[in-house]
Amino acid sequence: MSQHAFLSAGAKAWHCLPCKISELRLDLTLGCGQTFRWRETGTGHWTGVMGGRVWTLTQTKDALWYHVYSPPGNPEPLNGQKRKAGAGPRRSGKKSKGRTEVKEEEEDELDLETLNSKQEKKEEELLRDYFQLGVNLGDLYKQWSNVDQHFKITGNIFTGVRMLRQDPVECLFSFICSSNNHISRIQGMVERLCNTLGRPLCKLDDTHYHDFPSIQTLADSKVEAYLRDLGFGYRARFLQQSAQLIMSSHGHDWLYTLRSAPYLQARESLRTLPGVGLKVADCVCLMSLDKLEAVPVDTHVWQIAKRDYACAAGTGQKSLTDKLYNEIGDFFRKMWGSHAGWAHSVLFCADLKKFQNLKEATVKEEKKEKDKTTKQNKKNTVETEED
């Protein structure tokens, strides 16, 4: 049985790329509710599915490390390299090799090196795209801190919160599951969805990993009944009907074409799907369709606007109407600018209960430093008086 990889077990099976922890924190980015496919499988090690492969990620101060597992049926590594597809077994024994045999083995090795090099390059490009590492997060934090004092305080604690660029199909159907739900329950639903309808990828320890099901699979008329049996409730109908509508009216590539559409046009297009309201549409726009200005608003974000920004929008209202939703989004867009959705994700992350220990630890550390400075100042004063 294959096991989850750990960097401490040996770095030979791992690759890395330069990435400061201030530019990316895996625990915050993967655990703040924008994706539901990753689990912490060891201290600081996150395993999940991306691009049809299973990955384990971890990080050091200045690098992002990644291990990609071989899919079923692929040849296992031999002396650190995989055999060329279709290549025969190596000859054994002490019999000397002819020139032709030596040449064939040398060509096989060259083919293996080329194949591995291309695969590694593809994996690195996929990882860079997924975490949008071309965006300088430090510069954005400075920009937001200059116009927003509350963000300046929060951003100093919650560094490295990046916006992922997810697959639009996975993002859309995952967030249809998010209606009246919380993160841990959504994770369970998405996992059951993949394990039931997705293509098997591999098994690590006692965990089976599956790819996210295709729109064609989700559009099948039997899917609603399957998902209701799995505890999806009314969301089962929304999932199946949305997939069916996309396939019958748009085609399986439609979601990807929305990446090139203007933000409001893409959002309104998504809202034509069953189970997709303003918030779900904005989540999909921001997290998979390159609409950086999209600000998903729920009652949680509404409270942040009122509590931390004295935002007067919706004063006296008890429910989040479409008009109020847009007013709150415009309020944050006006303040934060073109990457407003990214800034929103930092504050959303900072307000989650699961990360309050980070706030408390920072406050304690700041108090400790303050007490230390005060004590040193008193000591210096006494010494001066004695002199």
Side-chain angles (χ1 to χ4, degrees):
M1 181 191 299
S2 298
Q3 296 179 318
H4 289 98
F6 291 92
L7 185 61
S8 58
K12 285 185 178 180
W14 292 74
H15 301 286
C16 77
L17 51 90
C19 182
K20 294 181 179 179
I21 203 165
S22 60
E23 284 291 312
L24 168 65
R25 274 195 58 167
L26 290 176
D27 57 340
L28 301 182
T29 300
L30 299 178
C32 70
Q34 57 176 312
T35 177
F36 308 102
R37 302 300 310 276
W38 297 87
R39 301 288 189 279
E40 192 171 14
T41 48
T43 304
H45 288 66
W46 292 78
T47 302
V49 179
M50 175 182 54
R53 302 287 297 277
V54 181
W55 305 60
T56 291
L57 310 176
T58 190
Q59 63 186 149
T60 49
K61 186 178 179 181
D62 296 312
L64 173 63
W65 292 82
Y66 59 99
H67 176 87
V68 188
Y69 299 89
S70 298
N74 271 23
E76 291 299 316
L78 180 65
N79 296 327
Q81 290 194 322
K82 294 179 182 177
R83 187 173 301 286
K84 175 184 174 183
R90 292 191 183 280
R91 296 174 173 81
S92 58
K94 295 182 180 181
K95 185 178 178 181
S96 60
K97 301 172 185 177
R99 289 185 180 180
T100 302
E101 291 174 325
V102 172
K103 185 177 180 181
E104 285 177 353
E105 290 189 2
E106 288 175 348
E107 287 175 351
D108 283 351
E109 293 296 337
L110 288 173
D111 287 339
L112 284 168
E113 290 173 7
T114 302
L115 183 64
N116 287 343
S117 178
K118 286 181 178 179
Q119 183 63 35
E120 289 167 15
K121 185 178 180 180
K122 183 178 179 181
E123 290 166 355
E124 182 177 322
E125 289 174 353
L126 183 61
L127 197 62
R128 287 184 181 277
D129 181 72
Y130 186 71
F131 285 107
Q132 305 197 70
L133 295 181
V135 177
N136 189 311
L137 193 60
D139 287 347
L140 288 177
Y141 269 57
K142 289 177 184 176
Q143 175 187 321
W144 298 325
S145 297
N146 288 336
V147 297
D148 180 358
Q149 185 60 31
H150 177 68
F151 183 92
K152 184 177 182 179
I153 296 169
T154 305
N156 284 335
I157 301 173
F158 290 84
T159 59
V161 181
R162 301 192 73 88
M163 186 54 57
L164 302 174
R165 188 174 192 254
Q166 301 178 60
D167 177 78
V169 174
E170 178 175 328
C171 191
L172 169 64
F173 290 97
S174 294
F175 275 98
I176 288 178
C177 297
S178 71
S179 176
N180 297 316
N181 229 333
H182 54 79
I183 294 175
S184 60
R185 190 159 182 264
I186 302 167
Q187 286 178 325
M189 292 174 72
V190 172
E191 185 174 353
R192 293 195 298 277
L193 175 69
C194 296
N195 288 349
T196 303
L197 301 173
R199 176 173 58 91
L201 296 177
C202 69
K203 181 182 179 182
L204 303 173
D205 295 316
D206 293 323
T207 304
H208 292 270
Y209 290 90
H210 293 72
D211 204 0
F212 200 88
S214 66
I215 296 181
Q216 293 94 320
T217 299
L218 292 170
D220 191 287
S221 58
K222 298 177 183 177
V223 163
E224 181 181 346
Y226 288 152
L227 297 183
R228 284 190 181 276
D229 289 342
L230 292 174
F232 280 66
Y234 63 89
R235 304 174 193 86
R237 175 169 54 89
F238 291 151
L239 286 162
Q240 192 274 330
Q241 288 185 353
S242 289
Q244 188 178 52
L245 180 59
I246 291 173
M247 291 303 300
S248 62
S249 301
H250 305 291
H252 67 277
D253 290 331
W254 175 66
L255 287 172
Y256 300 91
T257 67
L258 294 180
R259 282 180 167 169
S260 58
Y263 161 50
L264 293 179
Q265 180 184 325
R267 188 173 76 171
E268 290 310 304
S269 296
L270 291 170
R271 291 189 69 193
T272 63
L273 301 173
V276 179
L278 278 170
K279 185 212 166 186
V280 170
D282 266 339
C283 285
V284 179
C285 281
L286 175 63
M287 300 169 191
S288 68
L289 298 181
D290 305 332
K291 315 308 178 196
L292 313 180
E293 70 271 42
V295 177
V297 179
D298 55 9
T299 54
H300 188 69
V301 175
W302 185 13
Q303 289 301 316
I304 292 175
K306 291 192 292 186
R307 182 192 68 214
D308 300 326
Y309 292 92
C311 177
T315 302
Q317 287 187 220
K318 294 184 178 180
S319 60
L320 189 61
T321 63
D322 285 4
K323 182 175 181 293
L324 176 56
Y325 182 101
N326 288 321
E327 286 177 1
I328 294 171
D330 289 341
F331 171 82
F332 285 122
R333 277 186 283 272
K334 183 177 179 181
M335 178 168 53
W336 291 327
S338 62
H339 285 66
W342 284 54
H344 145 276
S345 69
V346 179
L347 297 187
F348 184 86
C349 177
D351 222 51
L352 292 174
K353 289 183 179 180
K354 65 190 292 186
F355 295 130
Q356 293 311 297
N357 60 331
L358 182 57
K359 272 186 180 178
E360 293 167 3
T362 303
V363 170
K364 286 181 181 179
E365 188 62 31
E366 288 176 351
K367 186 178 183 301
K368 184 179 178 182
E369 287 296 320
K370 187 177 180 180
D371 291 344
K372 184 179 178 181
T373 302
T374 302
K375 186 176 180 181
Q376 185 62 44
N377 289 340
K378 286 182 179 180
K379 181 180 179 182
N380 293 341
T381 301
V382 171
E383 289 175 352
T384 302
E385 290 174 351
E386 288 177 351
D387 291 343

